[in-house]
Amino acid sequence: NAGVMQNPRHLVRRRGQEARLRCSPMKGHSHVYWYRQLPEEGLKFMVYLQKENIIDESGMPKERFSAEFPKEGPSILRIQQVVRGDSAAYFCASSSSLGVQRAFFGQGTRLTVV
Amino acid sequence: DAKTTQPPSMDCAEGRAANLPCNHSTISGNEYVYWYRQIHSQGPQYIIHGLKNNETNEMASLIITEDRKSSTLILPHATLRDTAVYYCIVSYSKLTFGKGITLSVRP
């Protein structure tokens, strides 16, 4: 019974490159959430997706960031043209339903932009 | 989502009960109270949740006041491994994390 799997665990990108972060939800979960945690700060909601749909992207930066959760395969958080300020831990969570949010989190991807 | 207020930090002795308070005076009828914790820089861990009634599981107990405006998370026998940031969240949909309370368990 695997939990939420995120990969890679650590990712180093040079400024201007693209970063792709993957999240495989728990089996049977169709709701995925992405959060960002800057160093020494709290977790900030970014986006909430269901299969093939973006439900709430109120926390996503307007430019360079996008997310998808296709019918098959993991959810992807994509950051284009990364800048040093994108360096953070990105956490993914999944749940089986809206409302009762017993969400399970992955161990995160630590993105470092050099 | 309703806002929550937690003290910034507290400590307790190993083996004793840790009682973590949370105020959520603007909670609405369909919002649940959730508690999560984050140990060091790991992914947040679900602890417990409730709507109106008190709840207990293998990790903790959740006491919700009758008016639902506040709650207390109880760790009955705190261990050093319980040192973490604990988040009280009130929500119906997405989880919005505040600053949480840092619990330090001392030997």
Side-chain angles (χ1 to χ4, degrees), chain A residues 3-7 9 22-26 33 35 43 90-94 103-110, chain B residues 38 41-45:
Chain A
V4 177
M5 303 300 292
Q6 289 189 250
N7 64 80
R9 292 292 305 277
R22 288 177 292 276
C23 169
S24 296
M26 286 185 67
Y33 314 81
Y35 290 80
L43 290 136
Y90 292 82
F91 292 98
C92 166
S94 73
F104 294 85
F105 282 79
Q107 289 305 301
T109 293
R110 270 84 181 160
Chain B
Q38 188 174 28
S41 56
Q42 298 177 19
Q45 178 187 22

Side-chain angles (χ1 to χ4, degrees), chain A residues 97-101, chain B residues 1 28 30-32 34 90-94:
Chain A
S97 63
L98 180 66
V100 180
Q101 283 301 313
Chain B
D1 294 339
S28 58
N30 64 347
E31 289 182 315
Y32 286 79
Y34 300 89
V90 171
S91 176
Y92 176 73
S93 57
K94 66 178 185 281

Side-chain angles (χ1 to χ4, degrees), chain B residues 2-107:
Chain B
K3 184 178 178 180
T4 62
T5 303
Q6 299 178 256
S9 63
M10 67 176 291
D11 63 20
C12 76
E14 189 176 20
R16 303 297 295 268
N19 298 300
L20 286 68
C22 181
N23 287 320
H24 32 80
S25 59
T26 60
I27 190 171
S28 58
N30 64 347
E31 289 182 315
Y32 286 79
V33 178
Y34 300 89
W35 282 84
Y36 282 76
R37 73 181 182 184
Q38 188 174 28
I39 297 173
H40 193 46
S41 56
Q42 298 177 19
Q45 178 187 22
Y46 166 86
I47 300 173
I48 199 166
H49 76 279
L51 184 62
K52 296 180 181 178
N53 300 321
N54 298 337
E55 301 288 344
T56 295
N57 62 21
E58 65 279 3
M59 288 183 68
S61 294
L62 173 61
I63 309 298
I64 303 174
T65 58
E66 193 168 345
D67 63 8
R68 303 212 318 129
K69 292 184 177 182
S70 66
S71 60
T72 301
L73 178 74
I74 301 173
L75 306 179
H77 306 287
T79 71
L80 299 178
R81 287 179 295 182
D82 291 323
T83 292
V85 179
Y86 287 76
Y87 298 96
C88 170
I89 300 167
V90 171
S91 176
Y92 176 73
S93 57
K94 66 178 185 281
L95 300 171
T96 301
F97 289 80
K99 295 184 178 180
I101 178 172
T102 299
L103 173 67
S104 300
V105 180
R106 61 181 187 276

Side-chain angles (χ1 to χ4, degrees), chain A residues 7 15 21 31 35 40 59 62 86-87 108-109 113:
Chain A
N7 64 80
R15 282 178 295 171
L21 288 63
H31 301 249
Y35 290 80
E40 306 303 322
K62 298 300 181 190
D86 296 333
S87 295
T109 293
V113 180

Side-chain angles (χ1 to χ4, degrees), chain A residues 4-21:
Chain A
V4 177
M5 303 300 292
Q6 289 189 250
N7 64 80
R9 292 292 305 277
H10 300 273
L11 181 62
V12 179
R13 284 288 178 265
R14 297 186 184 277
R15 282 178 295 171
Q17 290 185 319
E18 178 180 288
R20 281 186 177 238
L21 288 63

